[in-house]
Amino acid sequence: MHQGIVGMSEFTPRIVLVTGGAGFIGSHFARYVLQTHQEANVVNLDALTYAGTKENLEDVMECDRHKFVHGDICDEGLVKSLLREHAIDTVVHFAAESHVDRSILEPDAFVRTNVQGTFNLLEETRRFWLEEKNWSKAQCRFHHVSTDEVYGALGHDDLPFTEMSRYVPNSPYSASKAASDHLVRAYQHTYQLPTTITHCSNNYGPYQHQEKFIPTVISMCLNERPIPVYGDGSNIRDWLYVEDHCVAIWKVIESGRIGQTYNIGGSNQVSNLDVVKLLCRTLADALSEKQEKFLKLISFVTDRPGHDWRYAIDSQKIRGELGWQPTNKFERGIRKTVDWYLARRD
């Protein structure tokens, strides 16, 4: 995707609308903002579908700088009123259907939320910020959270994805995210809406939905049930600890170049089978059990349709321009994640 070069911006978010803020990454971001940026208030909009729950926000629900709103980003009237009622100057757009397996079975929900919902947010912010308030790029910001899956898959010897990699989405999920990316870019180019986009690699950490890979493995181990591994387990992902992701997003919002895309990766390329084995070892250590108790649960199952073989992110741009780098090594992040789930085992 062609990137227009626009000067580096300096922006201070004040009233932040976080969409999908009761989901996995969104709740971490809301928490991060409230705990580390005392000048910012968070309006948290979430439809509370299967992936979002107020339990993810239990420690910030009573914070006087946090307001939770149960609603849908496709609701034009609601988005319009929230922007004006709270004088929103920053939108951080996490809300999305994101589970690839679900997108294969129910693609219509992904198109509605990821494409139509993003369009609705863009259109309503354009009207409010640019037409009604006549705000400059120094007064507002729309940040769109995307995924590395829009770039397609890599072979064994292919270089990691950069911001200039072409789009080759291979699932209804990644196709819907690609479409939303193009809408965001179009609104920046056509209307000069001040936008930024980030593409992240696979996130992991506390509060992740139980259907996702790492929580599934932990659950299967604790319940001594077969651990499903697609194909031969050789598929490779670049794993990013969720708190590192939140720090990166904030840096892009504050100092990223308007109209630009930034890739955020954890520099942890690991095969699915090796992730499973690491989780088994970590759980065994935490519970003073023998590794074999969990390793013997590994069960190879039929691969899913269109399963991309490898993802890898080149994060040189955000590292060089904004000075960001991940602080959690994979083994450390996995141990923190396992400890969190064990503490909530019941």
Side-chain angles (χ1 to χ4, degrees):
M1 185 166 62
H2 176 71
Q3 299 296 320
I5 300 300
V6 184
M8 193 73 77
S9 64
E10 290 297 334
F11 174 69
T12 302
R14 299 292 182 184
I15 313 295
V16 185
L17 175 63
V18 178
T19 71
F24 169 44
I25 308 175
S27 64
H28 275 278
F29 183 78
R31 184 178 298 104
Y32 167 76
V33 173
L34 293 168
Q35 292 178 349
T36 62
H37 294 84
Q38 299 300 316
E39 75 283 2
N41 292 293
V42 172
V43 179
N44 192 331
L45 175 62
D46 199 290
L48 298 180
T49 59
Y50 74 94
T53 172
K54 288 184 179 180
E55 292 178 1
N56 290 348
L57 299 162
E58 58 188 356
D59 55 336
V60 298
M61 286 297 283
E62 301 303 319
C63 176
D64 58 6
R65 293 186 294 115
H66 176 259
K67 177 179 177 58
F68 179 80
V69 179
H70 181 197
D72 191 334
I73 59 171
C74 293
D75 185 335
E76 295 178 24
L78 176 61
V79 172
K80 181 177 181 178
S81 65
L82 286 178
L83 291 170
R84 290 158 179 78
E85 178 184 350
H86 300 283
I88 301 293
D89 59 39
T90 309
V91 173
V92 187
H93 179 32
F94 292 95
E97 295 283 349
S98 65
H99 197 282
V100 176
D101 286 349
R102 281 181 180 259
S103 81
I104 294 169
L105 297 173
E106 303 171 3
D108 55 333
F110 287 71
V111 173
R112 178 183 181 274
T113 297
N114 300 355
V115 183
Q116 184 63 37
T118 300
F119 166 74
N120 186 46
L121 289 167
L122 288 165
E123 184 64 3
E124 292 304 328
T125 53
R126 179 188 70 81
R127 290 172 176 169
F128 178 52
W129 292 347
L130 305 186
E131 293 184 357
E132 293 184 25
K133 305 296 288 186
N134 197 30
W135 281 349
S136 71
K137 64 184 180 181
Q139 294 173 286
C140 53
R141 193 72 82 249
F142 187 109
H143 181 75
H144 179 59
V145 181
S146 190
T147 171
D148 58 356
E149 295 191 38
V150 298
Y151 298 129
L154 293 170
H156 186 274
D157 298 321
D158 291 338
L159 294 174
F161 299 126
T162 71
E163 290 79 3
M164 299 304 294
S165 296
R166 70 190 185 102
Y167 277 33
V168 192
N170 289 324
S171 70
Y173 161 61
S174 57
S176 67
K177 290 298 289 186
S180 66
D181 291 356
H182 293 315
L183 280 171
V184 173
R185 183 188 179 280
Y187 266 68
Q188 192 281 317
H189 183 79
T190 302
Y191 304 109
Q192 286 73 57
L193 188 72
T195 68
T196 48
I197 299 173
T198 49
H199 293 129
C200 67
S201 56
N202 280 38
N203 278 221
Y204 71 101
Y207 295 102
Q208 192 166 25
H209 191 269
Q210 62 186 11
E211 286 186 1
K212 295 292 187 175
F213 181 52
I214 287 176
T216 294
V217 175
I218 295 173
S219 176
M220 295 300 103
C221 286
L222 294 179
N223 290 288
E224 297 187 43
R225 296 172 57 191
I227 302 169
V229 178
Y230 282 131
D232 61 2
S234 64
N235 301 74
I236 293 173
R237 299 294 181 261
D238 178 7
W239 292 94
L240 173 67
Y241 192 65
V242 63
E243 291 176 1
D244 287 328
H245 187 192
C246 294
V247 173
I249 289 172
W250 190 263
K251 282 185 174 290
V252 171
I253 294 168
E254 280 192 318
S255 304
R257 287 184 284 151
I258 291 172
Q260 288 288 293
T261 292
Y262 294 86
N263 284 351
I264 307 171
S267 299
N268 295 305
Q269 292 187 54
V270 188
S271 75
N272 287 348
L273 184 57
D274 284 342
V275 173
V276 172
K277 290 179 178 178
L278 175 59
L279 285 163
C280 289
R281 292 196 301 270
T282 305
L283 277 163
D285 181 65
L287 297 171
S288 299
E289 299 274 7
K290 291 185 177 181
Q291 298 179 26
E292 289 71 22
K293 175 181 178 180
F294 302 127
L295 290 171
K296 69 181 183 181
L297 298 173
I298 295 173
S299 176
F300 297 98
V301 299
T302 302
D303 211 350
R304 74 183 177 203
H307 195 184
D308 290 341
W309 185 70
R310 172 176 166 246
Y311 304 142
I313 282 281
D314 183 335
S315 300
Q316 291 186 58
K317 181 176 178 179
I318 190 172
R319 291 174 186 242
E321 288 190 11
L322 306 181
W324 172 88
Q325 62 180 2
T327 60
N328 288 274
K329 298 295 185 182
F330 191 48
E331 291 78 5
R332 179 171 178 263
I334 286 292
R335 182 56 193 253
K336 288 163 63 173
T337 303
V338 164
D339 287 345
W340 186 87
Y341 280 101
L342 288 177
R344 292 155 180 80
R345 187 170 179 178
D346 291 342

